């Protein structure tokens, strides 16, 4: 998406006629269906006047290309300003300029992170030079015109309201490397910026460069493929076992050799290794130089994979994250633009009406946009009415679009210490489906215990973390989630007054680190943060959203105690459907542990029912 595209002469004229912000605003509304905010329009008006001066006084030719708010394809990132043209050596240059309205900033000790005043408070954000650099790096890794050398990407930042200080925080030693690559121009540096622009695009003829960059297919470069392969090798977390190897081999064979549009459905319950297969297949297909993307609807799950592969380094994570995408990116995408999509947690794909999704069906979007679509599915992890990625739905779309379907079933349990019986016991005990494990499961290494006090459960999890285990407390959406002033777990929303227990929900601001940061042990993870992840141990608090009726011996969901508005939308008069979703949530939470699961149940009747159903040897912690 491009909000403004023109030559340099017409850009100057549009600013002079005071219509530039109106043109950008109109394009934004037409392309997104959303009205821009007053602050965005003020920003466009202000920044474009500064850039008009730079373009005019740099004395570049009239046929340089200008892009404003260039949306990098398949991402949510927009480049503020681009000038294209040739230099004295006749190199085709794509000059990225990150614009900031900042007036001051503070340095931090974190990699490429600074502090500044945004949205009425001092917050941490990425260094302006790093932002521009990251866009250039994306093009260098993903755009064939750039990484094959036909076009050169160049980056800088322009802080037109910022008067440089002495010493200047943004130029401190910890930022030296990035600033040497991507220079920062301050308020009084405008003449230096004009010279910089003229140096790189001063011979003009930039409109063809715009077209070549925008029309170039986004295919990972060999450099980024080799980088991902190098950090993947030897990682035992991704070792394939038994039927996982069969699923992986089938995916790779079909993706490489299929001559027709194909969908592969990998069906498996919790702990069967769907994500292990998905990541292995992703890396293998990258190495075969296919245009492949890893798609995951759950942002927390996606971020954890990026965090793991990027070894928690900001630069590494930012480099690879463009290959890991959310599921709402492909509405309106060209048919078969990608060779392969690997969609993990596909049961969480959304249909029309889902929050911020403008399309009709994410299943359709993915099948349309890729030659081979690979869906990792567990129907019983569909937990909201707007979830649509079931096996049945995928098959229906494939039938409508005449797409071949290949199915693989994963059965063996590799989580919960391989205790298939425990998963079956959960199904039977939560009254999801009848199984043979109505009275427990065989003794083994998997630990399970029921607690009568949430403090004891929390203390158990806390102690496990102190002993080097990755353990977290999880819960269903049985308490409201305060939004205002609570972006970083400041408010104790999870409150059990009868036990004098209160803890915050997990941080929304740093959601991707909640599962691994030992400082976040006191935060309660919700289903949308933890689905798809696994831990050594989990402590699960079952809130009053799930209760037990002693008269008819059934488990039911309490609508008034379930606070996920999207999760219960349209279900007020459909208690059976609501109960099904809430049961599934707790099955997902209770199957996140590799070595053990501990449970506190707030509803006394449900607590007693679980005690009756649990193996006697497993009732005491």
């Amino acid at each position: 998406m491009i909000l403004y595209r023109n030559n340099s002469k017409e850009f100057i004229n549009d600013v002079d006629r005071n219509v530039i912000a109106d043109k950008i605003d109109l394009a934004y509304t037409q392309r997104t269906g959303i009205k821009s905010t007053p602050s965005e329009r003020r920003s466009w008006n202000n920044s474009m006047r500064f850039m008009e001066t730079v373009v005019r006084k740099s004395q570049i030719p009239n046929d340089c290309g200008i892009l404003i708010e260039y949306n990098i394809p398949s991402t949510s990132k927009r480049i503020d300003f681009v000038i294209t043209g040739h230099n004295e050596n006749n190199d085709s240059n794509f000059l990225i300029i990150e614009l900031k309205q900042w007036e001051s900033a503070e340095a931090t000790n974190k990699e490429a992170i600074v502090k500044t005043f945004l949205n009425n408070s001092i917050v941490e954000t990425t260094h302006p030079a790093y932002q521009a650099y990251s866009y250039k790096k994306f093009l260098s890794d993903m755009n064939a015109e750039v990484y094959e050398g036909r076009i050169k990407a160049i980056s800088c930042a322009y802080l037109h309201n910022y008067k440089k200080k002495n010493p200047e925080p943004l130029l401190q030693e910890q930022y030296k490397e990035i600033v040497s690559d991507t220079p920062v121009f301050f308020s009084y540096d405008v003449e230096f910026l004009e010279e910089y622009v003229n140096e790189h695009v001063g011979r003009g003829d930039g409109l063809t460069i715009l077209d070549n960059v925008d029309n170039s297919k986004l295919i990972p470069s060999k450099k980024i493929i080799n980088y991902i392969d190098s950090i993947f090798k030897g990682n035992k977390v991704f070792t394939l076992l038994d039927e996982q190897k069969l699923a992986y081999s089938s995916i790779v064979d079909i993706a490489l050799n299929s001559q027709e549009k194909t969908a592969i459905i990998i069906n498996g319950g919790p702990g069967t290794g769907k994500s292990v297969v998905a990541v292995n297949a992703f890396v293998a297909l990258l190495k075969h130089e296919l245009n492949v993307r890893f798609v995951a609807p759950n942002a927390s799950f996606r971020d954890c994979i990026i965090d793991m592969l990027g070894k928690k380094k900001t630069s590494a994570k930012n480099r690879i994250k463009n290959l890991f995408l959310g599921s709402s990116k492909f509405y309106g995408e060209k048919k078969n633009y990608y060779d392969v999509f690997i969609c993990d947690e596909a049961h969480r794909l959304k249909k029309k009406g889902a929050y911020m999704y403008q399309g009709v069906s994410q299943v359709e979007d993915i099948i349309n946009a890729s030659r081979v679509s690979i869906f990792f599915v567990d129907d019983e992890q569909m937990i909201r009415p707007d979830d649509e990625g079931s096996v049945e739905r995928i098959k229906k779309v494939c039938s409508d679009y005449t797409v071949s379907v290949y199915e693989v079933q994963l059965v063996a349990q590799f989580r919960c210490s391989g205790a298939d019986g425990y998963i079956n016991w959960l199904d039977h005990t939560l009254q999801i489906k009848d199984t043979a494990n109505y009275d427990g499961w065989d003794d083994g290494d998997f630990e399970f215990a029921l607690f009568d006090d949430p403090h004891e459960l929390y203390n158990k999890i806390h102690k496990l973390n102190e002993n080097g285990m990755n353990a977290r407390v999880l819960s269903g959406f049985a308490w409201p989630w305060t939004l205002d002033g609570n972006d970083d777990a400041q408010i104790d929303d999870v409150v059990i007054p009868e036990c004098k227990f209160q803890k915050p929900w997990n941080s929304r601001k740093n959601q991707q680190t909640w599962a691994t940061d030992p400082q976040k042990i006191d935060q309660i993870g919700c289903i949308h943060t933890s689905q798809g992840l696994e831990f050594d141990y989990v402590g699960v608090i079952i809130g009053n959203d799930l209760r037990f009726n002693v008269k008819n011996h059934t488990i039911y969901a309490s609508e008034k105690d379930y606070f996920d508005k999207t999760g219960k939308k349209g279900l007020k008069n459909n208690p059976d459907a609501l109960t099904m979703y809430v049961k599934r949530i707790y099955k997902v939470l209770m199957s996140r542990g590799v070595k053990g699961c501990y449970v506190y149940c707030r509803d006394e009747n449900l607590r007693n029912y679980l005690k009756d159903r649990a193996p006697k040897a497993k009732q005491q912690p």
Side-chain angles (χ1 to χ4, degrees), residues 91 460 558:
D91 297 321
K460 177 70 173 179
S558 172

Side-chain angles (χ1 to χ4, degrees), residues 205-220:
D205 190 19
L207 295 179
T208 302
I209 300 172
L210 291 185
D211 293 333
N212 290 344
V213 170
D214 198 38
N215 294 330
S216 178
K217 209 168 188 179
L218 294 182
I219 302 175

Side-chain angles (χ1 to χ4, degrees), residues 22 185 314 421 424 455 505:
D22 292 337
F185 298 95
T314 301
N424 293 335
H455 292 283
W505 285 116

Side-chain angles (χ1 to χ4, degrees), residues 551-615:
K551 293 182 179 179
N552 58 19
H553 298 278
T554 58
I555 296 174
Y556 68 96
S558 172
E559 193 270 344
K560 70 180 181 66
D561 294 302
Y562 181 52
F563 290 92
D564 187 347
K565 292 180 181 179
T566 302
K568 63 181 181 181
K569 184 179 180 181
L571 299 180
K572 191 173 182 66
N573 298 315
N574 192 349
D576 290 343
L578 179 66
T579 294
M580 174 189 68
Y581 286 124
V582 176
K583 286 178 180 178
R584 287 178 176 177
I585 287 170
Y586 282 107
K587 177 186 175 182
V588 170
L589 297 179
M590 294 171 71
S591 59
R592 296 301 92 191
V594 173
K595 299 179 180 180
C597 173
Y598 307 112
V599 177
Y600 167 77
C601 190
R602 191 175 180 190
D603 180 65
E604 185 177 1
N605 292 330
L606 183 57
R607 194 186 319 155
N608 291 333
Y609 164 78
L610 293 178
K611 285 183 178 180
D612 289 340
R613 291 292 179 185

Side-chain angles (χ1 to χ4, degrees), residues 135-154:
Y135 303 148
K136 176 177 67 177
K137 197 63 182 173
F138 174 90
L139 294 172
S140 300
D141 283 335
M142 302 293 294
N143 190 294
E145 289 292 309
V146 178
Y147 65 67
E148 291 177 1
R150 291 183 290 276
I151 293 173
K152 183 178 180 181
I154 301 160

Side-chain angles (χ1 to χ4, degrees), residues 2 38 53 105 128 202-203 278 313 315 330 435 521 531 549 603:
I2 299 170
T53 300
R203 292 194 55 185
K313 295 181 179 179
S315 58
F330 311 109
T435 71
I521 181 62
Q531 190 171 22
N549 187 323
D603 180 65

Side-chain angles (χ1 to χ4, degrees), residues 353-413:
Y355 177 69
M356 295 294 287
Y357 173 53
Q358 296 180 324
V360 175
S361 163
Q362 291 181 358
V363 172
E364 289 187 21
D365 294 346
I366 287 172
I367 289 174
N368 172 72
S370 57
R371 179 178 58 82
V372 176
S373 310
I374 305 163
F375 298 94
F376 289 81
V377 184
D378 178 7
D379 285 359
E380 292 179 5
Q381 290 193 54
M382 298 172 68
I383 57 171
R384 278 178 163 177
D386 61 7
D387 290 347
E388 75 150 359
S390 66
V391 172
E392 180 182 2
R393 172 62 179 158
I394 295 168
K395 287 182 176 179
K396 174 65 168 58
V397 174
C398 289
S399 175
D400 292 343
Y401 285 80
T402 318
V403 175
S404 299
V405 177
Y406 183 90
E407 289 188 75
V408 176
Q409 186 76 35
L410 295 176
V411 177
Q413 172 61 231

